Amino acid sequence: MRIYLDNAATTFPKPPEVYTAVGQYQRELGAPVGRGAYLEAIEVQRRVDRCRQLAAELLGAGDPRRIVFTFNGTDSLNLALQGLIRPGDHVVTTAAEHNSVLRPLRWLSERRGIRLTVVPCDPTGLVSVEGIREACQAPTRLVCVTHASNVTGSVQPIEEIGQTARSAGALMVLDAAQSAGQWPIDLGALPVDVLCCSGHKGLLGPLGTGLVWLGPAAEEQIDDYRLGGTGTQSEKEEQPETLPDRFESGNHNAPGLLGLGAALEWLRTTGIETVARHERELTGRLLEGLAGIPEVKVHGPAAEAPRTGVVSVTVDGYEPQTLAALLDEHFGVQTRAGFHCAPRIHAALGTAATGGTLRFSIGPFNTTDHIDAAVEGMRELAGAV
């Protein structure tokens, strides 16, 4: 039996409706988005518009035109960071970030001369609001923070961090790759100027999909990141100035967006609270089971803390990669081992010198049987050291 516990990388399986929508596009519709007036093209455009509307509703985003489709979370973050940050700006981020934030900011520091402050996190991956406040004492252009750690599952206090950024006159960029679809988000209430996420993780869509929400302040200040054909105002050489066309040059991943639309319909019907409750219950079961294995060290917050279904562990005597391979080979439990593209957080966890961690990540289609099998596999392997 295949037990997939690598949902923080990409969720699997997807809702059945996702496969149906992608297959229907590939076999029956086949038209590009916004590039035709024939029947199939109109239907594709209708479904993409519906996908945009559903994303806006799910995130409490208001106007669907503020949802810009991208190709993944990395693409979304590059649009925001490279579009908003100017040479010489001061930017604040955290040690809990993914390389999709750290690498663009490092590049901007080395090539564009931005000043970068990285606020540390504690051993659970949580960032101090006071640390953000202190970092923003200098004039700050932008604060970029992950909503939930992809290594420990810690959920950051975004309301307080966002208010701190606002008080400092900085724009707030939220990396919601690990929270969108798994954690309730209301952009109408959060002090956030830009939200970036992938479509293939908690939103349950296919790979090759992502989105950016641009608030009014960010829209006024952001530079165009990618220019070209949009299927609109094609008689002009100038890039359209209206959302979302301004940032959606080139052909969309049409089968991906139709699949994402089907996934968002499933989430709308099922309810984010239902998904979050299911994952919270399974996470608690996993943490309880692992706590009963003396050789296993869990890195991250307690079950009752604000957290997602991401659990990282180490076992003395095993490299994380070896542990992952043995879990897969002998128990069919599929996880991810290593640094998870988030190198700075491992210094706080004390796992940088030993190859990172073994990460379990729970999705909406996991069951108690999956969790119990994973715990039993860990018990047998840990006992064999």
Side-chain angles (χ1 to χ4, degrees), residues 224-255:
D224 300 329
Y225 173 63
R226 183 190 297 115
L227 308 175
T230 60
T232 57
Q233 302 181 33
S234 296
E235 72 282 5
K236 297 179 180 179
E237 292 185 10
E238 296 83 8
Q239 188 77 1
E241 296 182 356
T242 55
L243 295 175
D245 294 355
R246 180 181 167 193
F247 298 103
E248 291 187 347
S249 295
N251 273 298
H252 284 292
N253 174 8

PDB file of all heavy atoms in Angstrom, residues 224-255:
ATOM      1  N   ASP A 224       6.006  46.031 -13.591  1.00  0.00           N
ATOM      2  CA  ASP A 224       5.697  44.857 -14.402  1.00  0.00           C
ATOM      3  C   ASP A 224       6.893  43.908 -14.400  1.00  0.00           C
ATOM      4  O   ASP A 224       8.042  44.327 -14.544  1.00  0.00           O
ATOM      5  CB  ASP A 224       5.367  45.272 -15.839  1.00  0.00           C
ATOM      6  CG  ASP A 224       4.165  46.209 -15.888  1.00  0.00           C
ATOM      7  OD1 ASP A 224       3.293  46.083 -15.023  1.00  0.00           O
ATOM      8  OD2 ASP A 224       4.122  47.060 -16.785  1.00  0.00           O
ATOM      9  N   TYR A 225       6.596  42.644 -14.237  1.00  0.00           N
ATOM     10  CA  TYR A 225       7.655  41.640 -14.103  1.00  0.00           C
ATOM     11  C   TYR A 225       7.844  40.839 -15.386  1.00  0.00           C
ATOM     12  O   TYR A 225       8.943  40.455 -15.740  1.00  0.00           O
ATOM     13  CB  TYR A 225       7.306  40.711 -12.935  1.00  0.00           C
ATOM     14  CG  TYR A 225       8.223  39.527 -12.765  1.00  0.00           C
ATOM     15  CD1 TYR A 225       9.574  39.705 -12.474  1.00  0.00           C
ATOM     16  CD2 TYR A 225       7.744  38.226 -12.884  1.00  0.00           C
ATOM     17  CE1 TYR A 225      10.420  38.626 -12.309  1.00  0.00           C
ATOM     18  CE2 TYR A 225       8.578  37.143 -12.710  1.00  0.00           C
ATOM     19  CZ  TYR A 225       9.920  37.347 -12.428  1.00  0.00           C
ATOM     20  OH  TYR A 225      10.757  36.264 -12.269  1.00  0.00           O
ATOM     21  N   ARG A 226       6.767  40.570 -16.084  1.00  0.00           N
ATOM     22  CA  ARG A 226       6.817  39.809 -17.327  1.00  0.00           C
ATOM     23  C   ARG A 226       5.914  40.514 -18.327  1.00  0.00           C
ATOM     24  O   ARG A 226       4.746  40.784 -18.043  1.00  0.00           O
ATOM     25  CB  ARG A 226       6.339  38.373 -17.096  1.00  0.00           C
ATOM     26  CG  ARG A 226       6.434  37.502 -18.343  1.00  0.00           C
ATOM     27  CD  ARG A 226       5.736  36.161 -18.173  1.00  0.00           C
ATOM     28  NE  ARG A 226       6.318  35.337 -17.137  1.00  0.00           N
ATOM     29  CZ  ARG A 226       5.708  34.988 -16.021  1.00  0.00           C
ATOM     30  NH1 ARG A 226       4.463  35.426 -15.790  1.00  0.00           N
ATOM     31  NH2 ARG A 226       6.285  34.232 -15.127  1.00  0.00           N
ATOM     32  N   LEU A 227       6.430  40.795 -19.525  1.00  0.00           N
ATOM     33  CA  LEU A 227       5.687  41.550 -20.536  1.00  0.00           C
ATOM     34  C   LEU A 227       5.464  40.691 -21.771  1.00  0.00           C
ATOM     35  O   LEU A 227       6.266  39.823 -22.101  1.00  0.00           O
ATOM     36  CB  LEU A 227       6.449  42.821 -20.927  1.00  0.00           C
ATOM     37  CG  LEU A 227       6.897  43.735 -19.773  1.00  0.00           C
ATOM     38  CD1 LEU A 227       7.736  44.890 -20.307  1.00  0.00           C
ATOM     39  CD2 LEU A 227       5.698  44.264 -19.009  1.00  0.00           C
ATOM     40  N   GLY A 228       4.350  40.961 -22.466  1.00  0.00           N
ATOM     41  CA  GLY A 228       4.094  40.223 -23.699  1.00  0.00           C
ATOM     42  C   GLY A 228       2.624  40.169 -24.030  1.00  0.00           C
ATOM     43  O   GLY A 228       1.816  40.964 -23.537  1.00  0.00           O
ATOM     44  N   GLY A 229       2.262  39.210 -24.870  1.00  0.00           N
ATOM     45  CA  GLY A 229       0.884  39.092 -25.320  1.00  0.00           C
ATOM     46  C   GLY A 229      -0.043  38.646 -24.213  1.00  0.00           C
ATOM     47  O   GLY A 229       0.293  37.756 -23.422  1.00  0.00           O
ATOM     48  N   THR A 230      -1.212  39.278 -24.146  1.00  0.00           N
ATOM     49  CA  THR A 230      -2.208  38.933 -23.133  1.00  0.00           C
ATOM     50  C   THR A 230      -3.541  38.508 -23.753  1.00  0.00           C
ATOM     51  O   THR A 230      -4.454  38.112 -23.033  1.00  0.00           O
ATOM     52  CB  THR A 230      -2.463  40.127 -22.199  1.00  0.00           C
ATOM     53  OG1 THR A 230      -2.942  41.227 -22.980  1.00  0.00           O
ATOM     54  CG2 THR A 230      -1.189  40.537 -21.472  1.00  0.00           C
ATOM     55  N   GLY A 231      -3.655  38.641 -25.083  1.00  0.00           N
ATOM     56  CA  GLY A 231      -4.932  38.359 -25.730  1.00  0.00           C
ATOM     57  C   GLY A 231      -5.897  39.522 -25.636  1.00  0.00           C
ATOM     58  O   GLY A 231      -7.004  39.459 -26.159  1.00  0.00           O
ATOM     59  N   THR A 232      -5.487  40.585 -24.942  1.00  0.00           N
ATOM     60  CA  THR A 232      -6.313  41.791 -24.823  1.00  0.00           C
ATOM     61  C   THR A 232      -5.517  42.984 -25.310  1.00  0.00           C
ATOM     62  O   THR A 232      -4.279  43.001 -25.238  1.00  0.00           O
ATOM     63  CB  THR A 232      -6.722  42.038 -23.357  1.00  0.00           C
ATOM     64  OG1 THR A 232      -5.533  42.140 -22.557  1.00  0.00           O
ATOM     65  CG2 THR A 232      -7.575  40.893 -22.825  1.00  0.00           C
ATOM     66  N   GLN A 233      -6.218  43.989 -25.834  1.00  0.00           N
ATOM     67  CA  GLN A 233      -5.588  45.207 -26.359  1.00  0.00           C
ATOM     68  C   GLN A 233      -4.437  44.857 -27.308  1.00  0.00           C
ATOM     69  O   GLN A 233      -3.371  45.472 -27.290  1.00  0.00           O
ATOM     70  CB  GLN A 233      -5.084  46.085 -25.215  1.00  0.00           C
ATOM     71  CG  GLN A 233      -6.180  46.491 -24.243  1.00  0.00           C
ATOM     72  CD  GLN A 233      -5.681  47.384 -23.123  1.00  0.00           C
ATOM     73  OE1 GLN A 233      -4.772  48.187 -23.316  1.00  0.00           O
ATOM     74  NE2 GLN A 233      -6.276  47.235 -21.940  1.00  0.00           N
ATOM     75  N   SER A 234      -4.675  43.873 -28.153  1.00  0.00           N
ATOM     76  CA  SER A 234      -3.601  43.356 -29.000  1.00  0.00           C
ATOM     77  C   SER A 234      -3.147  44.336 -30.076  1.00  0.00           C
ATOM     78  O   SER A 234      -2.093  44.141 -30.691  1.00  0.00           O
ATOM     79  CB  SER A 234      -4.062  42.053 -29.673  1.00  0.00           C
ATOM     80  OG  SER A 234      -4.304  41.049 -28.708  1.00  0.00           O
ATOM     81  N   GLU A 235      -3.924  45.387 -30.295  1.00  0.00           N
ATOM     82  CA  GLU A 235      -3.533  46.396 -31.285  1.00  0.00           C
ATOM     83  C   GLU A 235      -2.461  47.340 -30.756  1.00  0.00           C
ATOM     84  O   GLU A 235      -1.885  48.127 -31.520  1.00  0.00           O
ATOM     85  CB  GLU A 235      -4.776  47.209 -31.704  1.00  0.00           C
ATOM     86  CG  GLU A 235      -5.317  48.178 -30.654  1.00  0.00           C
ATOM     87  CD  GLU A 235      -6.144  47.508 -29.560  1.00  0.00           C
ATOM     88  OE1 GLU A 235      -6.236  46.265 -29.558  1.00  0.00           O
ATOM     89  OE2 GLU A 235      -6.694  48.241 -28.708  1.00  0.00           O
ATOM     90  N   LYS A 236      -2.140  47.255 -29.444  1.00  0.00           N
ATOM     91  CA  LYS A 236      -1.174  48.164 -28.836  1.00  0.00           C
ATOM     92  C   LYS A 236       0.129  47.447 -28.506  1.00  0.00           C
ATOM     93  O   LYS A 236       0.135  46.269 -28.165  1.00  0.00           O
ATOM     94  CB  LYS A 236      -1.750  48.743 -27.531  1.00  0.00           C
ATOM     95  CG  LYS A 236      -3.005  49.580 -27.719  1.00  0.00           C
ATOM     96  CD  LYS A 236      -3.500  50.092 -26.368  1.00  0.00           C
ATOM     97  CE  LYS A 236      -4.752  50.932 -26.535  1.00  0.00           C
ATOM     98  NZ  LYS A 236      -5.253  51.431 -25.204  1.00  0.00           N
ATOM     99  N   GLU A 237       1.231  48.203 -28.593  1.00  0.00           N
ATOM    100  CA  GLU A 237       2.511  47.661 -28.174  1.00  0.00           C
ATOM    101  C   GLU A 237       2.708  47.784 -26.669  1.00  0.00           C
ATOM    102  O   GLU A 237       3.517  47.059 -26.085  1.00  0.00           O
ATOM    103  CB  GLU A 237       3.661  48.379 -28.889  1.00  0.00           C
ATOM    104  CG  GLU A 237       3.713  48.098 -30.383  1.00  0.00           C
ATOM    105  CD  GLU A 237       4.929  48.726 -31.039  1.00  0.00           C
ATOM    106  OE1 GLU A 237       5.823  49.217 -30.306  1.00  0.00           O
ATOM    107  OE2 GLU A 237       5.000  48.725 -32.278  1.00  0.00           O
ATOM    108  N   GLU A 238       1.973  48.683 -26.020  1.00  0.00           N
ATOM    109  CA  GLU A 238       2.112  48.881 -24.590  1.00  0.00           C
ATOM    110  C   GLU A 238       1.420  47.758 -23.818  1.00  0.00           C
ATOM    111  O   GLU A 238       0.400  47.239 -24.242  1.00  0.00           O
ATOM    112  CB  GLU A 238       1.507  50.226 -24.154  1.00  0.00           C
ATOM    113  CG  GLU A 238       2.204  51.439 -24.722  1.00  0.00           C
ATOM    114  CD  GLU A 238       1.730  51.783 -26.123  1.00  0.00           C
ATOM    115  OE1 GLU A 238       0.746  51.150 -26.597  1.00  0.00           O
ATOM    116  OE2 GLU A 238       2.337  52.658 -26.757  1.00  0.00           O
ATOM    117  N   GLN A 239       2.004  47.426 -22.694  1.00  0.00           N
ATOM    118  CA  GLN A 239       1.407  46.433 -21.807  1.00  0.00           C
ATOM    119  C   GLN A 239       0.095  46.977 -21.236  1.00  0.00           C
ATOM    120  O   GLN A 239       0.016  48.152 -20.857  1.00  0.00           O
ATOM    121  CB  GLN A 239       2.369  46.104 -20.657  1.00  0.00           C
ATOM    122  CG  GLN A 239       1.943  44.942 -19.778  1.00  0.00           C
ATOM    123  CD  GLN A 239       2.188  43.592 -20.413  1.00  0.00           C
ATOM    124  OE1 GLN A 239       2.704  43.506 -21.524  1.00  0.00           O
ATOM    125  NE2 GLN A 239       1.828  42.526 -19.723  1.00  0.00           N
ATOM    126  N   PRO A 240      -0.971  46.153 -21.155  1.00  0.00           N
ATOM    127  CA  PRO A 240      -2.190  46.614 -20.496  1.00  0.00           C
ATOM    128  C   PRO A 240      -1.892  47.068 -19.067  1.00  0.00           C
ATOM    129  O   PRO A 240      -1.016  46.516 -18.394  1.00  0.00           O
ATOM    130  CB  PRO A 240      -3.093  45.373 -20.505  1.00  0.00           C
ATOM    131  CG  PRO A 240      -2.592  44.553 -21.629  1.00  0.00           C
ATOM    132  CD  PRO A 240      -1.110  44.786 -21.687  1.00  0.00           C
ATOM    133  N   GLU A 241      -2.641  48.046 -18.602  1.00  0.00           N
ATOM    134  CA  GLU A 241      -2.424  48.586 -17.267  1.00  0.00           C
ATOM    135  C   GLU A 241      -3.415  48.047 -16.238  1.00  0.00           C
ATOM    136  O   GLU A 241      -3.263  48.299 -15.049  1.00  0.00           O
ATOM    137  CB  GLU A 241      -2.513  50.117 -17.303  1.00  0.00           C
ATOM    138  CG  GLU A 241      -1.423  50.758 -18.160  1.00  0.00           C
ATOM    139  CD  GLU A 241      -1.498  52.276 -18.153  1.00  0.00           C
ATOM    140  OE1 GLU A 241      -2.457  52.815 -17.536  1.00  0.00           O
ATOM    141  OE2 GLU A 241      -0.617  52.914 -18.742  1.00  0.00           O
ATOM    142  N   THR A 242      -4.418  47.303 -16.686  1.00  0.00           N
ATOM    143  CA  THR A 242      -5.450  46.839 -15.776  1.00  0.00           C
ATOM    144  C   THR A 242      -5.153  45.422 -15.295  1.00  0.00           C
ATOM    145  O   THR A 242      -4.483  44.631 -15.961  1.00  0.00           O
ATOM    146  CB  THR A 242      -6.823  46.848 -16.470  1.00  0.00           C
ATOM    147  OG1 THR A 242      -6.742  46.070 -17.679  1.00  0.00           O
ATOM    148  CG2 THR A 242      -7.232  48.273 -16.824  1.00  0.00           C
ATOM    149  N   LEU A 243      -5.661  45.141 -14.097  1.00  0.00           N
ATOM    150  CA  LEU A 243      -5.555  43.788 -13.534  1.00  0.00           C
ATOM    151  C   LEU A 243      -6.671  42.908 -14.084  1.00  0.00           C
ATOM    152  O   LEU A 243      -7.760  43.391 -14.346  1.00  0.00           O
ATOM    153  CB  LEU A 243      -5.671  43.847 -12.011  1.00  0.00           C
ATOM    154  CG  LEU A 243      -4.566  44.564 -11.250  1.00  0.00           C
ATOM    155  CD1 LEU A 243      -4.906  44.622  -9.765  1.00  0.00           C
ATOM    156  CD2 LEU A 243      -3.228  43.879 -11.445  1.00  0.00           C
ATOM    157  N   PRO A 244      -6.380  41.629 -14.264  1.00  0.00           N
ATOM    158  CA  PRO A 244      -5.108  40.941 -14.026  1.00  0.00           C
ATOM    159  C   PRO A 244      -4.201  40.893 -15.249  1.00  0.00           C
ATOM    160  O   PRO A 244      -3.080  40.402 -15.159  1.00  0.00           O
ATOM    161  CB  PRO A 244      -5.570  39.526 -13.662  1.00  0.00           C
ATOM    162  CG  PRO A 244      -6.786  39.325 -14.522  1.00  0.00           C
ATOM    163  CD  PRO A 244      -7.483  40.666 -14.570  1.00  0.00           C
ATOM    164  N   ASP A 245      -4.683  41.438 -16.404  1.00  0.00           N
ATOM    165  CA  ASP A 245      -3.938  41.293 -17.659  1.00  0.00           C
ATOM    166  C   ASP A 245      -2.514  41.821 -17.559  1.00  0.00           C
ATOM    167  O   ASP A 245      -1.597  41.294 -18.203  1.00  0.00           O
ATOM    168  CB  ASP A 245      -4.664  42.025 -18.794  1.00  0.00           C
ATOM    169  CG  ASP A 245      -6.009  41.411 -19.129  1.00  0.00           C
ATOM    170  OD1 ASP A 245      -6.328  40.360 -18.550  1.00  0.00           O
ATOM    171  OD2 ASP A 245      -6.737  41.981 -19.954  1.00  0.00           O
ATOM    172  N   ARG A 246      -2.333  42.855 -16.775  1.00  0.00           N
ATOM    173  CA  ARG A 246      -1.018  43.490 -16.674  1.00  0.00           C
ATOM    174  C   ARG A 246       0.064  42.485 -16.302  1.00  0.00           C
ATOM    175  O   ARG A 246       1.219  42.625 -16.720  1.00  0.00           O
ATOM    176  CB  ARG A 246      -1.096  44.607 -15.627  1.00  0.00           C
ATOM    177  CG  ARG A 246       0.188  45.361 -15.391  1.00  0.00           C
ATOM    178  CD  ARG A 246      -0.012  46.423 -14.320  1.00  0.00           C
ATOM    179  NE  ARG A 246       1.258  46.947 -13.879  1.00  0.00           N
ATOM    180  CZ  ARG A 246       1.434  47.695 -12.800  1.00  0.00           C
ATOM    181  NH1 ARG A 246       0.373  48.002 -12.040  1.00  0.00           N
ATOM    182  NH2 ARG A 246       2.634  48.125 -12.452  1.00  0.00           N
ATOM    183  N   PHE A 247      -0.281  41.464 -15.537  1.00  0.00           N
ATOM    184  CA  PHE A 247       0.718  40.522 -15.041  1.00  0.00           C
ATOM    185  C   PHE A 247       0.522  39.102 -15.574  1.00  0.00           C
ATOM    186  O   PHE A 247       1.131  38.167 -15.054  1.00  0.00           O
ATOM    187  CB  PHE A 247       0.688  40.504 -13.510  1.00  0.00           C
ATOM    188  CG  PHE A 247       1.026  41.833 -12.896  1.00  0.00           C
ATOM    189  CD1 PHE A 247       0.026  42.644 -12.388  1.00  0.00           C
ATOM    190  CD2 PHE A 247       2.330  42.291 -12.863  1.00  0.00           C
ATOM    191  CE1 PHE A 247       0.329  43.872 -11.834  1.00  0.00           C
ATOM    192  CE2 PHE A 247       2.644  43.519 -12.310  1.00  0.00           C
ATOM    193  CZ  PHE A 247       1.638  44.319 -11.799  1.00  0.00           C
ATOM    194  N   GLU A 248      -0.298  38.929 -16.591  1.00  0.00           N
ATOM    195  CA  GLU A 248      -0.567  37.581 -17.094  1.00  0.00           C
ATOM    196  C   GLU A 248      -0.187  37.448 -18.570  1.00  0.00           C
ATOM    197  O   GLU A 248      -0.946  36.962 -19.384  1.00  0.00           O
ATOM    198  CB  GLU A 248      -2.041  37.219 -16.876  1.00  0.00           C
ATOM    199  CG  GLU A 248      -2.377  37.042 -15.410  1.00  0.00           C
ATOM    200  CD  GLU A 248      -3.780  36.523 -15.154  1.00  0.00           C
ATOM    201  OE1 GLU A 248      -4.608  36.512 -16.107  1.00  0.00           O
ATOM    202  OE2 GLU A 248      -4.067  36.123 -14.017  1.00  0.00           O
ATOM    203  N   SER A 249       1.024  37.860 -18.891  1.00  0.00           N
ATOM    204  CA  SER A 249       1.510  37.746 -20.269  1.00  0.00           C
ATOM    205  C   SER A 249       1.819  36.297 -20.614  1.00  0.00           C
ATOM    206  O   SER A 249       2.263  35.522 -19.775  1.00  0.00           O
ATOM    207  CB  SER A 249       2.764  38.597 -20.443  1.00  0.00           C
ATOM    208  OG  SER A 249       2.468  39.964 -20.293  1.00  0.00           O
ATOM    209  N   GLY A 250       1.604  35.968 -21.883  1.00  0.00           N
ATOM    210  CA  GLY A 250       1.856  34.606 -22.344  1.00  0.00           C
ATOM    211  C   GLY A 250       0.664  33.711 -22.095  1.00  0.00           C
ATOM    212  O   GLY A 250      -0.271  34.064 -21.374  1.00  0.00           O
ATOM    213  N   ASN A 251       0.701  32.550 -22.721  1.00  0.00           N
ATOM    214  CA  ASN A 251      -0.414  31.616 -22.559  1.00  0.00           C
ATOM    215  C   ASN A 251      -0.453  31.038 -21.152  1.00  0.00           C
ATOM    216  O   ASN A 251       0.571  30.660 -20.578  1.00  0.00           O
ATOM    217  CB  ASN A 251      -0.298  30.472 -23.564  1.00  0.00           C
ATOM    218  CG  ASN A 251      -0.959  30.818 -24.889  1.00  0.00           C
ATOM    219  OD1 ASN A 251      -2.163  31.048 -24.928  1.00  0.00           O
ATOM    220  ND2 ASN A 251      -0.169  30.873 -25.946  1.00  0.00           N
ATOM    221  N   HIS A 252      -1.647  30.977 -20.604  1.00  0.00           N
ATOM    222  CA  HIS A 252      -1.859  30.337 -19.308  1.00  0.00           C
ATOM    223  C   HIS A 252      -1.653  28.832 -19.411  1.00  0.00           C
ATOM    224  O   HIS A 252      -1.751  28.234 -20.497  1.00  0.00           O
ATOM    225  CB  HIS A 252      -3.301  30.567 -18.841  1.00  0.00           C
ATOM    226  CG  HIS A 252      -3.567  31.938 -18.317  1.00  0.00           C
ATOM    227  ND1 HIS A 252      -3.023  32.411 -17.155  1.00  0.00           N
ATOM    228  CD2 HIS A 252      -4.351  32.938 -18.790  1.00  0.00           C
ATOM    229  CE1 HIS A 252      -3.447  33.638 -16.930  1.00  0.00           C
ATOM    230  NE2 HIS A 252      -4.255  33.985 -17.905  1.00  0.00           N
ATOM    231  N   ASN A 253      -1.420  28.218 -18.250  1.00  0.00           N
ATOM    232  CA  ASN A 253      -1.490  26.761 -18.129  1.00  0.00           C
ATOM    233  C   ASN A 253      -2.970  26.399 -18.035  1.00  0.00           C
ATOM    234  O   ASN A 253      -3.519  26.194 -16.947  1.00  0.00           O
ATOM    235  CB  ASN A 253      -0.719  26.304 -16.890  1.00  0.00           C
ATOM    236  CG  ASN A 253      -0.864  24.823 -16.620  1.00  0.00           C
ATOM    237  OD1 ASN A 253      -1.422  24.074 -17.423  1.00  0.00           O
ATOM    238  ND2 ASN A 253      -0.378  24.391 -15.468  1.00  0.00           N
ATOM    239  N   ALA A 254      -3.622  26.331 -19.185  1.00  0.00           N
ATOM    240  CA  ALA A 254      -5.076  26.153 -19.203  1.00  0.00           C
ATOM    241  C   ALA A 254      -5.535  24.855 -18.542  1.00  0.00           C
ATOM    242  O   ALA A 254      -6.450  24.879 -17.712  1.00  0.00           O
ATOM    243  CB  ALA A 254      -5.597  26.249 -20.641  1.00  0.00           C
ATOM    244  N   PRO A 255      -4.945  23.695 -18.856  1.00  0.00           N
ATOM    245  CA  PRO A 255      -5.410  22.484 -18.166  1.00  0.00           C
ATOM    246  C   PRO A 255      -5.182  22.571 -16.662  1.00  0.00           C
ATOM    247  O   PRO A 255      -5.996  22.095 -15.869  1.00  0.00           O
ATOM    248  CB  PRO A 255      -4.584  21.357 -18.793  1.00  0.00           C
ATOM    249  CG  PRO A 255      -3.433  22.025 -19.465  1.00  0.00           C
ATOM    250  CD  PRO A 255      -3.915  23.373 -19.873  1.00  0.00           C
TER     251      PRO A 255
END
